[in-house]
Amino acid sequence: MKRRVIVFLILLGLLLWVIRVVNLNREKESDVMYMELGQKFYYGELAIQADDFLLLNADEYDAYFGVEDDVTDDEKAVCVRFTVRNDSDNAISWDDVFSVMGEGVVCEGWGSAYNPYMGAKLNKFYSEQLDSGMQQDIWIVTTVSRVCFREKTWENLSDMEFEYVVSLYPDAVRIRLKTGKNYGGASL
């Protein structure tokens, strides 16, 4: 009888602990700021706006950008075009701009940082830095491989909900990406 009472008290303690954990997680507030394509936000003095999202197979990528051999037949390129504008009084180096351009692209069950080598082939910079008051379009690109997904998911990859994670700290910013959207260099 004594053993049953001890087991009952242990199980009751575990149940109360689980209820407490669930309640704490329910009360947790999310400080994530969700943005849509075409919406401008600020990261310090840098105005950022995602204007275009493309999910391209190897042939489409080669035709769109004129760059061969970056994407294989078992991959797709995830491409996001950003417009960035320097609203500070000082010039910002491109290294500093790219250091705030984020963590990368995520979707359910998959994530990848952007590939700076692919972006280097696509981006044409007009000066060594982003001067005060100037803006420029930049492409952020990464690849997604067929081996990361089941066949049915891979075939319907364009239906997946992608997000670009700009920042995790101090303020989390996530941009919802939808294929087919193009804001045509909308002004910041």
Side-chain angles (χ1 to χ4, degrees):
M1 180 69 172
K2 185 177 180 182
R3 178 178 263 175
R4 288 185 184 177
V5 171
I6 292 173
V7 170
F8 175 76
L9 290 175
I10 291 172
L11 290 175
L12 180 64
L14 285 172
L15 178 65
L16 292 174
W17 178 76
V18 167
I19 291 171
R20 177 69 179 145
V21 168
V22 168
N23 285 333
L24 285 174
N25 287 333
R26 225 181 255 166
E27 295 171 7
K28 183 178 177 184
E29 293 182 19
S30 174
D31 60 347
V32 176
M33 179 172 53
Y34 287 97
M35 307 299 291
E36 302 292 331
L37 282 173
Q39 282 186 302
K40 171 183 69 171
F41 65 96
Y42 284 90
Y43 194 94
E45 296 291 323
L46 193 63
I48 302 172
Q49 179 175 307
D51 292 320
D52 200 5
F53 169 62
L54 303 171
L55 183 62
L56 306 171
N57 65 31
D59 294 334
E60 294 168 335
Y61 183 83
D62 292 348
Y64 193 89
F65 293 110
V67 177
E68 295 182 11
D69 302 326
D70 274 354
V71 182
T72 67
D73 290 336
D74 288 333
E75 296 178 325
K76 292 190 181 193
V78 178
C79 313
V80 184
R81 182 175 51 88
F82 287 93
T83 302
V84 293
R85 184 181 69 219
N86 180 359
D87 285 347
S88 72
D89 294 331
N90 302 315
I92 300 174
S93 74
W94 284 111
D95 287 340
D96 290 339
V97 170
F98 277 96
S99 72
V100 301
M101 285 313 295
E103 306 297 324
V105 181
V106 297
C107 71
E108 187 176 323
W110 175 85
S112 178
Y114 64 86
N115 185 330
Y117 302 107
M118 290 177 74
K121 294 177 183 179
L122 307 181
N123 295 312
K124 307 284 187 265
F125 299 107
Y126 303 109
S127 68
E128 296 287 321
Q129 56 198 10
L130 185 60
D131 293 325
S132 178
M134 298 302 294
Q135 78 178 31
Q136 184 165 335
D137 288 347
I138 57 173
W139 282 97
I140 300 290
V141 182
T142 192
T143 57
V144 57
S145 179
R146 178 186 300 264
V147 298
C148 297
F149 297 93
R150 293 180 300 190
E151 190 62 35
K152 185 176 180 181
T153 306
W154 180 255
E155 292 169 5
N156 298 310
L157 199 60
S158 61
D159 296 333
M160 298 277 294
E161 293 183 19
F162 288 87
E163 292 180 348
Y164 189 83
V165 181
V166 177
S167 173
L168 297 174
Y169 178 82
D171 299 315
V173 178
R174 295 172 80 100
I175 302 168
R176 292 183 178 113
L177 305 171
K178 294 178 179 51
T179 56
K181 295 275 186 167
N182 183 334
Y183 290 88
S187 177
L188 287 174

